[in-house]
Amino acid sequence: MSLRSLPSCRRAAASAASASKLALPSSRIALPRFARCYATPVTVNGFTQLKPTRYGQPLAPSHPHLVSPKETTPGIPQVEYDRRRRKLMERLPDGSLVVCVAGQIKYMSGQIFYKFRQSSDFWYLTGFEEPDAAVIIEKQPSSPRGYRMVMFSAGTDSAKEKWDGARSSPEDIVRYFGADEAEPISAFPAALRGLASSASHIYLDIPNTSKRARASSPKSLLKVRSVSNAMLSAGAQPDRVKYLSPSGGLSRGEYDSLLDSLGNSRRRPLAPEVGRLRAVKSKAEQKVMRQAADISARAHNKTMRFTDPGVSEHAVAAHFEYLCAREGSQRPAYVPVVASGPNALIIHYTSNNQLIANGEMVLIDAGCEYNGYASDITRTFPANGSFTPEQATLYNALLTVQKHLITLCTEAAGMSILQIHRESCTLLRKELERIGFSFPLGAGTLDTLYPHLIGHPVGIDLHESSHMERDAPLKAGMVVTIEPGVYVPPFPEFPKAFHNIGIRIEVECYYCKV
């Protein structure tokens, strides 16, 4: 059949596939069986968009106001994603295979789902923002890029797209995400088995098994939620977990056998390797993070003016989130803390359900996520606009400490997070003693007033520190918070004038210079 005899939308897809094959001779692309055949160009403010979009996420042809032609995601060019993969594979021994799986859709109840957020490491390596996906990267030192990448996705399906919107086609995955080959997710098990047979090391994106998370085995790697609309109509529950086989695929036992066949001796954790790369931010990442911080900072300033005695904490939190969303934030980076008066003594106070009293301080710990990167800012201020003498005294003591610590935020200082924290304890004790506190029990009493670490790395995740050594010197390009705090409970050993005052001041420090 010639291209001329195909419907216009299939002609375009076939032409795109041919163009991609010319650009990447090794690519093998399957033309989608059902492709969205309508996308109307709509021009607004000089930008021509496609409505509805043909793609599973914002890309330059459909969202030119968000993504430039050379970018994969807003602010991050395609060449940077390629550079990340190159650096990763250069660090790994010859014969290595990297396997990374996308995040899962999570359900609140029944068929009601939460807004999807991609797995952080998967997004860092690919920029792909759809669920039901995976990537295999094979180290090939003799190839031009030093690796070969195969991406697996759900692909296009007109029946599902009518309900959920478009998904990216295989040819678009090759064109926009730099894959050498794009395959349906159902082909993932067989492809992994075939490539793993000759690999000497297999790096897997194994889920976290911390105390706060439900323990997972490596076999959960291949689990995703996969329930079609037809199944839902028949009464199936969305929280039913199936293995990664939307078209039937292998049975559970066969998937278990697949992972077992990889061999424990060849399996390695992927997260530490990616975490070391994520610790140092590129210029493009720094720019996006600056935008995220600026949006949050402006929201903090306006929320301070919005706050008055008698207003509820939840109204203040909602106002902050609204201001961030108006400027393009996709979601809050974390549940905001709006703690009035003694509520500020609870470090992670997120109930936000009491009224703000006249004369109280309000502690707001809130930040937005913008184009994949988190921000983290805390401010404490008087609800009525005027500090009491005691509030001002304690606030200025803490601010003095923070300003000095920020001067240590250079690579030349050669300090680690732990060293900066120890310095914060020494300085804070001196400042508190100056205003009337005493510490007969030494550091133990200070721990009551200041129970948390001075800061943490920030990036794609709010706490991007799982695989960063806290005692390692900070490097240029790192981004960390500096957030000293003092929380005075109504204990007799502390000056009564400061009882029930909680103050934290938090900024993000960019280690961009030596």
Side-chain angles (χ1 to χ4, degrees), residues 330-448:
Q330 288 81 19
R331 58 178 62 81
Y334 50 98
V335 179
V337 172
V338 179
S340 60
N343 287 337
L345 303 183
I346 302 172
I347 309 301
H348 289 160
Y349 173 83
T350 57
S351 299
N352 302 339
N353 57 9
Q354 292 193 298
L355 300 177
I356 299 170
N358 189 32
E360 288 185 331
M361 298 269 278
V362 179
L363 186 156
I364 301 180
D365 186 346
C368 75
E369 183 179 300
Y370 179 72
N371 292 341
Y373 289 84
S375 59
D376 192 3
I377 299 174
T378 305
R379 290 293 182 269
T380 311
F381 58 95
N384 61 14
S386 298
F387 287 97
T388 66
E390 295 77 16
Q391 291 169 350
T393 298
L394 191 58
Y395 186 94
N396 284 324
L398 193 66
L399 185 60
T400 298
V401 172
Q402 188 198 44
K403 285 182 176 180
H404 177 74
L405 296 176
I406 290 173
T407 66
L408 304 178
C409 295
T410 64
E411 186 176 285
M415 298 187 72
S416 66
I417 285 285
L418 285 182
Q419 288 174 314
I420 294 175
H421 177 72
R422 286 192 285 268
E423 182 73 6
S424 73
C425 293
T426 300
L427 292 173
L428 184 57
R429 183 182 291 108
K430 289 180 179 179
E431 285 295 318
L432 292 178
E433 288 175 340
R434 182 181 61 80
I435 63 175
F437 286 77
S438 61
F439 298 96
L441 300 180
T445 306
L446 182 65
D447 289 344
T448 301

Side-chain angles (χ1 to χ4, degrees), residues 24 76 110 115 117 130-131 139 183 223 231 241 278 308 323 344 354-355 357 362 390-391 436 444 449 462 468 499 501:
L24 291 167
I76 309 297
K115 185 176 182 179
R117 185 187 186 277
E130 300 176 31
K139 183 165 184 175
E183 297 284 355
K223 289 183 178 179
M231 292 172 66
V241 178
R278 286 171 52 181
D308 277 318
L323 292 170
Q354 292 193 298
L355 300 177
V362 179
E390 295 77 16
Q391 291 169 350
L449 297 170
L462 177 68
M468 176 181 172
H499 284 185
I501 297 178

Side-chain angles (χ1 to χ4, degrees), residues 136 181 208 211 228 286 360 393 413 424 477 488:
I136 299 178
E181 191 171 327
N208 188 357
K211 294 179 180 179
S228 67
Q286 292 169 22
E360 288 185 331
T393 298
S424 73
V488 188

Side-chain angles (χ1 to χ4, degrees), residues 204-328:
L204 300 174
D205 193 15
I206 299 174
N208 188 357
T209 56
S210 67
K211 294 179 180 179
R212 295 189 181 187
R214 184 172 57 189
S216 304
S217 71
K219 295 175 183 178
S220 64
L221 174 72
L222 299 180
K223 289 183 178 179
V224 298
R225 304 177 188 276
S226 177
V227 182
S228 67
N229 290 317
M231 292 172 66
L232 291 173
S233 300
Q237 294 300 310
D239 58 356
R240 175 182 173 189
V241 178
K242 298 186 70 179
Y243 277 95
L244 199 54
S245 54
S247 61
L250 301 177
S251 68
R252 175 167 181 162
E254 289 172 317
Y255 276 98
D256 290 349
S257 298
L258 170 63
L259 287 184
D260 290 339
S261 69
L262 301 181
N264 290 331
S265 62
R266 294 189 297 159
R267 290 206 298 252
R268 302 286 187 276
L270 175 63
E273 302 296 335
V274 179
R276 281 186 276 271
L277 295 178
R278 286 171 52 181
V280 177
K281 307 300 186 292
S282 68
K283 295 297 183 183
E285 288 180 295
Q286 292 169 22
K287 184 177 180 180
V288 175
M289 291 195 70
R290 170 63 68 183
Q291 292 171 321
D294 286 346
I295 291 172
S296 294
R298 287 191 290 269
H300 270 278
N301 289 336
K302 293 179 180 179
T303 301
M304 287 182 195
R305 295 194 290 270
F306 170 83
T307 304
D308 277 318
V311 173
S312 67
E313 294 166 336
H314 92 268
V316 174
H319 190 72
F320 180 90
E321 292 186 33
Y322 158 75
L323 292 170
C324 291
R326 278 197 62 179
E327 293 204 49

